[in-house]
Amino acid sequence: MDFNALINYGRRAMSLEVPFYEQAARDESMTRDALNMVIVVAALNGIGAFLGQLFGLNFIAAFVFLIVQVVLSVALYYVAAYVTQYVGAAMFKGQGTQQQMLRTLGFAHAPQALAVLSFIPCVGGLIALVASIWYLVCGFFAVRTTHRLSDGQAIVTMLVAWLVVMVITVVVLALVGIIIGVPAALLGALSGQ
């Protein structure tokens, strides 16, 4: 994995460079880099959740948060890409392919790397919120560019995908909470999802 290239791709995605999203949609060699971006961001999110729990001296929950955050983030990336692809193509005759959507949405995850700072008292939650909103904006650019949709169509596509991802997230976190005995609301708050 070339971290310098990954950082450059993340910077360009976060800068909302439409030519970058167009390049990512066309360039099949960027598929692995997009997945690497999601994995690195998921790991950073997991580390933020881990540190938040570790500072609270809850070692078992800290480890569980780390694992759940990473696995859930990567799984939800695929769910969001598939739902976004389906909605964009079925509802609005979007022109992008599944692989193009995976690449562009993968790079759109870059702002969520800031959630590694979510453990910081008082401002960590705000940083995670800003990172999530920035991710949604990047996702909008990814969907609009990949599917060649209007702004309104891209927003509807993103909203439908977001709702599906939120339902899946709540169900998974509730199940994890039941299994390990940690309240699902606490898991959800720390996951940044």
Side-chain angles (χ1 to χ4, degrees):
M1 177 180 338
D2 182 357
F3 279 106
N4 288 331
L6 208 57
I7 290 169
N8 183 49
Y9 291 154
R11 181 192 56 77
R12 292 182 68 197
M14 291 168 60
S15 298
L16 307 176
E17 290 182 21
V18 172
F20 171 74
Y21 286 106
E22 291 170 345
Q23 174 191 358
R26 286 189 315 269
D27 190 347
E28 292 179 10
S29 69
M30 295 174 78
T31 301
R32 178 163 308 279
D33 291 323
L35 177 58
N36 287 339
M37 177 70 72
V38 172
I39 292 169
V40 167
V41 168
L44 290 171
N45 278 305
I47 290 168
F50 176 81
L51 291 173
Q53 285 299 305
L54 198 60
F55 291 149
L57 300 177
N58 193 343
F59 300 110
I60 294 172
F63 182 73
V64 171
F65 280 116
L66 177 63
I67 301 302
V68 169
Q69 180 65 42
V70 173
V71 172
L72 188 60
S73 293
V74 174
L76 290 176
Y77 155 66
Y78 282 103
V79 170
Y82 284 103
V83 171
T84 304
Q85 170 61 27
Y86 177 77
V87 172
M91 289 179 66
F92 303 115
K93 307 290 188 248
Q95 300 174 18
T97 67
Q98 185 60 58
Q99 289 300 310
Q100 290 173 329
M101 192 58 60
L102 282 166
R103 285 191 296 273
T104 57
L105 282 180
F107 291 118
H109 276 76
Q112 288 191 322
L114 295 173
V116 71
L117 303 173
S118 64
F119 69 91
I120 299 173
C122 299
V123 297
L126 181 60
I127 292 170
L129 176 64
V130 168
S132 293
I133 292 170
W134 197 351
Y135 157 69
L136 289 174
V137 172
C138 289
F140 164 80
F141 274 80
V143 170
R144 188 182 70 178
T145 302
T146 302
H147 273 311
R148 295 174 189 85
L149 300 175
S150 70
D151 289 351
Q153 292 170 331
I155 289 170
V156 169
T157 301
M158 287 288 297
L159 284 174
V160 170
W162 181 81
L163 287 172
V164 169
V165 167
M166 286 299 103
V167 168
I168 292 170
T169 301
V170 168
V171 169
V172 169
L173 291 176
L175 290 174
V176 169
I178 290 168
I179 292 169
I180 66 169
V182 175
L186 181 59
L187 278 172
L190 291 174
S191 74
Q193 297 295 327

